[in-house]
Amino acid sequence: MKPALLTFNTVKKMSRYVFFLLLSAASGSVFSQSIASLNFRYFYDPQNEVDLPLKLVNDKNQLTVYYRLQRTGQYANETYTISWQRLETYMQKEGTGIPAEDSLATSGKLSFPLPEKPWLLVAKVTSKSSARTWTYVQMMDPKYPVNGLIESAEGIVFRPYVFTGQEYTLRGAVTDRPLHVYYYKTDFPVSSPPFTEKGAHIDRFMFADSSFSVAHGQKIMFKSRGLYLVQQDTAAAEGFAFRVVGGSFPKFTKVEDIPAPLIFVCTKDEHDELIAAGSDKSKVDKVILDITRDKDRAKNFMRSYFRRVELANLYFTSFKEGWKTDRGMIYLIFGLPDEVSRTGQNEIWYYKNFKERYTFVKSGSVYDPNNYILLRSSKFTESWFNTVDSWRKSRF
C-alpha cells in the first residue's frame, strides 16, 4: 500500500498540533512557579505588548469571568494562546488545568459554580513567535459584590470608566428586575503623601446626589461626569460602579484641569496660584516657569508629568480618577516599579533606586472591590521630597 500523500492542509494541522503539544509542555513549567514569586511589573508598563483584562461578575448562582486580549501597536497581528489553571493560594505551585474550547480565542468568558471559598483563576498568555509568557490572576470570591456589567457598541466595557455623550447598555444579574442607578458628583480627595499618618479613604456607603431607574438591557447615555452605582437589590452591598468621564480621559487636555494633579509637586502658594489662574494659560505657564526656571525644562516637566497622569488614570481609575488613588500617586511621582508582587490581599512595589518597598493592602467596597490602600510610614519622607525636587528641576 502506498503511503498517503500529505496535503498542505494536513501539514498545517500537524504543525499546529505539534505547537500545542510543545505549548502544553511549556505551560507546566511556567505554572509550576508560585504566583507569589512572579513579577507583575508588566501590568503597569505601557510598552508591554499585551494586556488581558479580566472582568469578574457574580451571576447569582455562578461566577463568570469575561476576558479580551489586547495587543499594542506593532504586535497587532501577533498570534497568542491563552491557557487557564485553578490555584487555591498564591503560594501553590501546581494547580488544576482548566480546559478551554479554543486556546487561540482572544476573547470570551468562563463560568464556574459559586464556590464555597475563594480560589485563583490563572491565565497564561503565550506569544507564538517569541514564546514569551504573561500571567494574569483573578480571585474567584463567592462574596464578590459585582453582579452586572456595561456594554458599548464594541462589546463589554472592561475599563472602570465610560464617556459622556456615548450610548451604553446596562445589564444586571437578573433580567426581569429594574436597575437602580445612583449618581455621586463628589469630588473625591487626593491621596496624601506616603509619609503621612493617614490616607484619603472612601466611606463604605455614601449618600447619592440623585438616582433613577432603567430596565435590564436598556440603552442609556450619561450627561454628567462623576461616580455611578448600579444596583438591583438596594438593600444589599452589591452592584457595579463606574466613573463617567470626558472624551479626552485618561489625558488631561484642558488648561483648567492642569492645576489639580500638580498638587504633589507644588507649594501651597504655587498651587493656589494655579487654581486662581483658571483657564488663563499664560498665568498657568508663568507659575510652571517660576517652578522650573527655564522654558525647555518647563516643557519637559509638563510633558513628562502629564504623561504619568495619563498612565495613572489608565491603570488605577476606580471610584475616583487614577491619579488621586494611592497607587496612582506613587506611580505618578516615582514611575513604573522595578518589581510588583502579589500575595493574598497585598500588592508590593519595589524601586531599586530608592531601595524601598511600598505595600498596598486591598480595602474594597461596593464602589470598588479592588481598591488598594498604601501602608504609610515616615521612612518614605526623604525619597518623596528628593523625587519631588527632581520633578521641579525637570530631571525626568
Side-chain angles (χ1 to χ4, degrees), residues 81-331:
T81 62
I82 305 176
S83 53
W84 303 87
Q85 190 182 48
R86 171 178 176 147
L87 296 176
E88 303 306 321
T89 68
Y90 278 87
M91 299 303 296
Q92 184 181 351
K93 292 184 178 180
E94 298 290 345
T96 304
I98 298 174
E101 293 183 2
D102 184 2
S103 63
L104 288 173
T106 57
S107 65
K109 66 179 182 179
L110 298 172
S111 295
F112 306 91
L114 201 65
E116 294 183 359
K117 61 179 182 179
W119 58 275
L120 297 171
L121 176 65
V122 182
K124 188 189 72 172
V125 178
T126 303
S127 167
K128 184 175 181 180
S129 61
S130 68
R132 288 189 62 191
T133 63
W134 301 266
T135 301
Y136 297 85
V137 184
Q138 174 63 58
M139 176 66 76
M140 306 296 285
D141 186 351
K143 297 181 180 180
Y144 195 67
V146 175
N147 60 357
L149 52 81
I150 312 171
E151 290 182 347
S152 67
E154 291 75 36
I156 292 173
V157 176
F158 286 87
R159 60 179 177 265
Y161 56 87
V162 298
F163 298 99
T164 55
Q166 295 187 20
E167 196 171 63
Y168 298 93
T169 302
L170 304 182
R171 300 192 184 279
V174 183
T175 59
D176 60 351
R177 295 181 63 181
L179 296 165
H180 305 286
V181 184
Y182 298 92
Y183 168 62
Y184 308 83
K185 62 180 179 181
T186 305
D187 185 15
F188 292 99
V190 178
S191 288
S192 56
F195 55 84
T196 56
E197 291 185 2
K198 294 182 179 181
H201 297 278
I202 182 176
D203 294 331
R204 301 192 71 84
F205 297 98
M206 301 184 297
F207 291 103
D209 293 287
S210 62
S211 64
F212 57 93
S213 297
V214 298
H216 169 89
Q218 180 177 332
K219 295 186 182 298
I220 184 173
M221 186 178 293
F222 299 96
K223 296 181 179 179
S224 301
R225 302 181 189 184
L227 173 66
Y228 290 77
L229 172 66
V230 182
Q231 293 183 301
Q232 286 189 308
D233 183 355
T234 58
E238 58 187 30
F240 57 102
F242 53 90
R243 287 198 65 82
V244 173
V245 298
S248 63
F249 196 87
K251 294 182 179 180
F252 279 7
T253 57
K254 295 182 179 180
V255 175
E256 54 266 34
D257 293 333
I258 289 177
L262 290 170
I263 190 171
F264 298 125
V265 293
C266 290
T267 65
K268 185 180 184 306
D269 289 343
E270 291 167 345
H271 199 246
D272 289 344
E273 193 174 350
L274 282 170
I275 293 175
S279 60
D280 190 330
K281 186 176 183 300
S282 62
K283 291 183 179 180
V284 171
D285 288 344
K286 181 182 182 302
V287 177
I288 301 302
L289 186 59
D290 288 343
I291 292 173
T292 59
R293 301 181 182 278
D294 180 87
K295 287 185 177 181
D296 290 335
R297 286 203 297 267
K299 291 180 180 178
N300 182 60
F301 165 76
M302 292 295 285
R303 181 171 54 251
S304 300
Y305 194 83
F306 279 90
R307 172 56 174 164
R308 292 270 186 92
V309 171
E310 177 187 353
L311 293 175
N313 285 337
L314 179 66
Y315 296 132
F316 308 112
T317 292
S318 59
F319 63 90
K320 61 181 178 179
E321 299 92 326
W323 71 268
K324 289 183 176 182
T325 66
D326 281 357
R327 288 184 298 175
M329 170 188 63
I330 297 299
Y331 190 93

Side-chain angles (χ1 to χ4, degrees), residues 47-97:
Q47 302 302 317
N48 195 49
E49 64 185 79
V50 296
D51 185 28
L52 185 70
L54 302 174
K55 188 174 188 64
L56 176 61
V57 176
N58 192 331
D59 294 328
K60 197 175 182 180
N61 296 318
Q62 65 179 9
L63 295 178
T64 299
V65 174
Y66 298 86
Y67 65 94
R68 183 188 300 148
L69 185 68
Q70 299 174 352
R71 306 168 176 85
T72 57
Q74 68 188 87
Y75 303 100
N77 298 319
E78 182 62 66
T79 300
Y80 299 90
T81 62
I82 305 176
S83 53
W84 303 87
Q85 190 182 48
R86 171 178 176 147
L87 296 176
E88 303 306 321
T89 68
Y90 278 87
M91 299 303 296
Q92 184 181 351
K93 292 184 178 180
E94 298 290 345
T96 304

